[in-house]
């Protein structure tokens, strides 16, 4: 699954009619993973490598409203 850099704001998941931007705030995370869940509960993890100030973000052109997701943060 391809992840693009995306934008730091707005926070959360924002659908733009084509794909979804994900952004999360953390001052302490050393690594942030976006976790996507399918209908069977299978999880796909994607690293959010782009960080602007304290927000890590990414854009997924294939994600639509209704997608179950969460974040995993690693660090202190």
């Amino acid at each position: 699954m391809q992840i693009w850099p995306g934008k730091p704001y707005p926070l959360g998941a924002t659908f733009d009619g084509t794909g979804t931007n994900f952004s999360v705030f953390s001052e302490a995370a050393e690594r942030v993973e976006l976790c996507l869940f399918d209908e069977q509960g299978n999880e796909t993890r994607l690293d959010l490598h782009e960080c602007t100030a304290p927000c890590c973000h990414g854009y997924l052109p294939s994600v639509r409203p209704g997608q179950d997701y969460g974040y995993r943060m690693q660090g202190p």
Side-chain angles (χ1 to χ4, degrees):
M1 183 174 292
Q2 184 180 14
I3 188 163
W4 299 352
K7 299 177 182 177
Y9 297 103
L11 294 174
T14 306
F15 182 65
D16 65 5
T18 304
T20 302
N21 188 76
F22 293 90
S23 180
V24 63
F25 175 91
S26 177
E27 291 182 331
E30 294 171 353
R31 180 179 180 192
V32 177
E33 294 175 296
L34 172 64
C35 305
L36 303 175
F37 301 93
D38 66 17
E39 293 175 359
Q40 293 76 35
N42 298 311
E43 180 182 11
T44 300
R45 295 183 190 180
L46 302 165
D47 284 319
L48 293 181
H49 293 290
E50 297 293 326
C51 293
T52 303
C55 297
C56 293
H57 48 88
Y59 181 87
L60 292 170
S62 59
V63 172
R64 306 280 183 261
Q67 171 69 56
D68 290 332
Y69 74 96
Y71 298 103
R72 289 186 188 273
M73 309 268 195
Q74 296 179 9

